[in-house]
Amino acid sequence: MFTTRPEIKGTFGVVGSTHWLASAAGMAILEKGGNAFDAAVAAGFALQVVEPHLNGPGGEVPVLFLDQKSDEVRALCGQGTAPARATLSHYKGLGLELIPGSGLLATVIPGAFDAWMLLLRDYGTMKPRDVLEHALAYATSGYALVQNICDTIGRVEELFRKEWPTSAALYLPNGSIPEAGTLFRNPQLAQTYERIIAEGEAAGSDREAQIEACRKAWSEGFIAEEIDSFFRQQELMDSSGRRHAGLLTGEDMAGWQAHYEWPLMHEYEGWSVYKTGPWSQGPSFLQQLALLEGFDLAAMDTLSPEFVHTVTESAKLAFADREAFYGDPDFIDVPMERLLSPEYNAERRALIGKAASLELRPGVIPGFGGEIQIGKGGTLPAGDALGGGEPTVQGTGETKGDTCHVDVIDRWGNMVSATPSGGWLQSSPNIPSLGFCLNSRAQMFWLEEGLPATIAPGKRPRTTLSTNLARRDQDQGMVFGTPGGDYQDQWSLTFFLRHIHHGLNLQEAIDAPMFQTDHMPSSFWPRQADLGSLALEGRFSKETIEDLRARGHKLEVADDWSLGRLSAARKDGDLLRAGANARLMQGYAVGR
């Protein structure tokens, strides 16, 4: 199998992420004696600076991790909730049918900062300055812009100039789009980080006291005050075509904290596979595994039409259930036990035939779920919703699938997998006093009564953010994941299947030609669906492409290296391995 680069191997530690500077930051922390938790936090903060089109301080993050001391896998929820004023009646009173995909109305409480600090406090060993050192340096001294950042700014240049002047001031230096490869600095963000660190250090030399002071500076101190002030004073353009004020307040910020949860788990081919709960789309990965247990995937060539068709049809069923049943389990009952049961999946598996399905077919579980909604514009004709590339940005700021990812394993066997996202430069205006913008995650709520994902104050949006941890025994485990919005639990699944069924190493499984479907209502504004769609990289054979067309798939042949953004790390006894995506020339794995 062709690979773009070798699979990294070592015994000391490995880091893989969607940007080489984040991977370098994580590895530097390991070299200083930090553990995987310290390294993941450092890499996460670095990503906020060097991939501002994919995430930012005002975003969110789910984390799965294995703590070697307790031998426990836990989930950390860094997904903030809807503000107290984010009622269904408020949005309806504005004449909206969907929550905008950009601007202030789409903001929920930003959760990433508190989640990273909580992980550092409870499982790390270092102080805030240690893990923020690299992010602070990148913001102060600059980092080389990748082409996609410049392209993203170009797509929203007019919006910035006409409607979001604070974003224009930061991202159009000297009044023009910056060029790829040039150094870009964010001095205001650097000042924000430095002030957070200073407030932490003012609490004394104790590590935990410093972390708690930093958390307070964010949720109750100057960060919350500046966000509150900005939201009270601004009415800005969003993807609805109108100007709206936001709903987030300092009181919302003070009333929310990140928290730990027990993850969901499903056994597959000797592996215990862990995912976050149904407030994310993560369980769809487990549902696909439960469906695929009835097929001999190991006997299928990974590039064959049989493999692509079987995996795609399973995805269609799992994602239909995502739409019908998933939501914040603090607000609704989600029948996960039934959704993962052998009996249910035997019934659902029988729906997979030789021809492509062109319908949304959720399961029926009496007393649970709701009617599937499709947003503005309805079902798209074949090919119009290919999307998914990073970034997919429209001129009004709405964004589809922009995210990043990091995986770390240290020499003690601790494992961390995280998918930071939100706070994209293109989807919300820059807060000039802070140097960053906030998230637009509320667009994943529905404005219809009685649905699992209907908006409500204090409720988590049913996010696309998903991350992965799998264990075979105490000496074998892996962490992996990808950006990609609705494709995250498609690309990750295909990677996992190729790795465990067909013996592809991490880098081979990442580099192998990828495919995806939009056969579900998009989680992003305007919430459309492209039923029967199937996109494949052009590296698939003509025979495979024609066979899939003959089965009825509405096929779109994408560029050869355009689908998938994976990184991964694995432990086999004392041997550690890692790989990262070469597409877009950003992701790297490092280790020794």
Side-chain angles (χ1 to χ4, degrees), residues 153 159-161 164-173 425-426 428-432 437:
I153 295 171
L159 173 70
F160 283 8
R161 293 189 188 280
W164 294 359
T166 61
S167 295
L170 176 60
Y171 288 108
L172 297 172
L425 71 87
Q426 63 273 20
S428 189
N430 176 52
I431 301 174
C437 55

Side-chain angles (χ1 to χ4, degrees), residues 68-212:
Q68 194 62 39
K69 291 180 181 178
S70 63
D71 196 40
E72 290 181 343
V73 177
R74 298 298 305 273
L76 172 58
C77 177
Q79 176 57 66
T81 60
R85 295 190 293 155
T87 62
L88 181 61
S89 61
H90 179 87
Y91 286 95
K92 287 291 193 180
L94 296 173
L96 295 170
E97 296 181 358
L98 292 172
I99 295 174
S102 63
L104 303 180
L105 265 183
T107 301
V108 300
I109 299 169
F113 183 87
D114 197 65
W116 287 128
M117 285 289 117
L118 187 64
L119 187 68
L120 180 68
R121 185 196 72 182
D122 295 340
Y123 294 94
T125 66
M126 292 185 164
K127 295 179 179 179
R129 183 173 292 277
D130 300 321
V131 297
L132 277 161
E133 176 185 5
H134 294 86
L136 183 59
Y138 298 149
T140 302
S141 301
Y143 61 95
L145 290 168
V146 296
Q147 185 65 54
N148 272 347
I149 296 178
C150 303
D151 291 345
T152 301
I153 295 171
R155 292 186 185 102
V156 289
E157 177 186 9
E158 184 177 359
L159 173 70
F160 283 8
R161 293 189 188 280
K162 291 183 177 181
E163 302 288 350
W164 294 359
T166 61
S167 295
L170 176 60
Y171 288 108
L172 297 172
N174 302 314
S176 60
I177 301 169
E179 294 183 6
T182 59
L183 282 179
F184 183 84
R185 298 175 177 85
N186 189 338
Q188 189 55 59
L189 179 57
Q191 291 178 30
T192 297
Y193 284 143
E194 190 60 65
R195 183 172 173 183
I196 290 173
I197 294 168
E199 294 203 11
E201 291 175 342
S205 60
D206 180 74
R207 191 182 76 90
E208 291 192 13
Q210 288 189 10
I211 293 170
E212 286 304 304

Side-chain angles (χ1 to χ4, degrees), residues 373-492:
Q373 302 292 304
I374 297 177
K376 179 181 177 182
T379 300
L380 295 175
D384 283 2
L386 175 59
E390 309 233 335
T392 301
V393 184
Q394 306 302 317
T396 51
E398 63 267 20
T399 303
K400 180 179 180 182
D402 298 274
T403 304
C404 42
H405 186 78
V406 60
D407 299 300
V408 187
I409 303 178
D410 64 25
R411 62 188 184 275
W412 301 287
N414 298 305
M415 303 182 187
V416 184
S417 184
T419 307
S421 187
W424 306 309
L425 71 87
Q426 63 273 20
S427 291
S428 189
N430 176 52
I431 301 174
S433 59
L434 298 176
F436 64 82
C437 55
L438 296 186
N439 63 79
S440 53
R441 195 63 56 178
Q443 67 184 289
M444 296 178 179
F445 286 115
W446 288 104
L447 298 181
E448 298 292 337
E449 292 275 10
L451 301 177
T454 300
I455 195 166
K459 188 176 184 178
R460 286 172 286 186
R462 196 279 301 145
T463 179
T464 52
L465 300 181
S466 190
T467 192
N468 309 275
L469 191 152
R471 299 186 75 188
R472 194 165 191 136
D473 52 45
Q474 285 193 324
D475 287 327
Q476 292 189 75
M478 59 187 299
V479 283
F480 56 99
T482 180
D486 294 306
Y487 308 133
Q488 288 180 34
D489 284 297
Q490 298 183 58
W491 294 344
S492 290

